[in-house]
Amino acid sequence: MAPELVLILGSSKYHATIYLIAPMVTGTLFRFYSYIYTAVQNYNRKTQYVAAGTVGAMLVNIVLNYVCILRFGYMAAAYTTAFSYFLLLLLQGILEKKVTGTRVTSLRKNLLIAAGYLAANLATMKLFELKWYYRYAVILLVAAVSARFVLPRLREVFHSFRQKKN
C-alpha cells in the first residue's frame, strides 16, 4: 500500500520514497526488539550497558550515513539506520545474557523473526512494480493465509486470559 499512501500523503513528486518505507518499518521492529533487552538491563540497574549500546549504534549510524549518503544518496539513510538498529538489537541481546547470566528472551528467535520480516518487506517492494489490483490481490492472499495460522493462536491467548480471570 506504500505507493498509494505516499500519493495520498504527499504527491507523485515523492514517489521514490516508497522504497524507504520497508527499511524504516524494519528498523522500527529491530529497535522494538532491542527495547526488550534494554528493559531487562534497566530492571537490573545496568543502564551503562544500555547507554553504551545506544551510543555505539548511533556512532555506527553516523559513519554509515556519512559514507553511504555521499555514495548512494539520501535514500541510504533509511537502510543505514535499519542496519544500525539491527546491530543495537544484536548487541543488547548479547549484553542481556551478560547482565542476567541467563537468556530471558531468545535472541536467536528474535533475530530470525526480524530477518524474516526484513526479507518479507524487501520482497514486497518488488510488488510496487505491479498494478495496484495485483498488489491488493497478493495482500488479500497473504492476509487469508496468515489468518489461517494466526487466528487459532489468538484464540488460545484469549482463552488463557479468560481462564486467569476465573
Side-chain angles (χ1 to χ4, degrees), residues 134-150:
Y134 290 124
R135 283 199 317 272
Y136 284 88
V138 170
I139 289 170
L140 289 173
L141 178 65
V142 168
V145 170
S146 297
R148 165 74 173 92
F149 294 101
V150 172

Side-chain angles (χ1 to χ4, degrees), residues 9 26 30 52 54 60 105 113 119 129 146 151 156 158 165:
L9 297 173
T26 303
F30 293 156
T54 303
V60 167
T105 302
I113 291 169
E129 299 166 9
S146 297
L151 288 178
E156 290 174 20
F158 289 134
K165 277 185 168 180

Side-chain angles (χ1 to χ4, degrees), residues 36-69:
I36 295 168
Y37 301 110
T38 60
V40 171
Q41 293 165 24
N42 285 329
Y43 176 80
N44 287 287
R45 296 197 167 121
K46 301 294 184 180
T47 56
Q48 68 271 22
Y49 293 116
V50 175
T54 303
V55 169
M58 177 196 67
L59 292 173
V60 167
N61 193 33
I62 289 169
V63 170
L64 286 175
N65 277 340
Y66 180 78
V67 171
C68 294
I69 290 172

Side-chain angles (χ1 to χ4, degrees), residues 11-147:
S11 67
S12 59
K13 172 170 84 169
Y14 296 102
H15 182 74
T17 63
I18 62 175
Y19 296 102
L20 301 179
I21 293 172
M24 289 171 32
V25 169
T26 303
T28 302
L29 178 70
F30 293 156
R31 187 67 181 120
F32 171 77
Y33 275 141
S34 74
Y35 283 137
I36 295 168
Y37 301 110
T38 60
V40 171
Q41 293 165 24
N42 285 329
Y43 176 80
N44 287 287
R45 296 197 167 121
K46 301 294 184 180
T47 56
Q48 68 271 22
Y49 293 116
V50 175
T54 303
V55 169
M58 177 196 67
L59 292 173
V60 167
N61 193 33
I62 289 169
V63 170
L64 286 175
N65 277 340
Y66 180 78
V67 171
C68 294
I69 290 172
L70 287 175
R71 183 171 171 109
F72 302 108
Y74 74 92
M75 288 188 160
Y79 293 89
T80 59
T81 301
F83 180 74
S84 298
Y85 283 156
F86 172 77
L87 289 180
L88 180 63
L89 163 62
L90 186 61
L91 179 62
Q92 295 296 11
I94 292 167
L95 289 174
E96 181 236 11
K97 173 112 179 185
K98 179 180 168 94
V99 167
T100 63
T102 186
R103 181 72 55 208
V104 174
T105 302
S106 172
L107 178 61
R108 183 176 187 273
K109 182 178 177 182
N110 287 341
L111 288 174
L112 286 173
I113 291 169
Y117 191 77
L118 172 63
N121 275 336
L122 293 176
T124 59
M125 288 185 354
K126 291 304 287 176
L127 296 175
F128 296 162
E129 299 166 9
L130 301 176
K131 298 273 188 201
W132 69 268
Y133 42 86
Y134 290 124
R135 283 199 317 272
Y136 284 88
V138 170
I139 289 170
L140 289 173
L141 178 65
V142 168
V145 170
S146 297

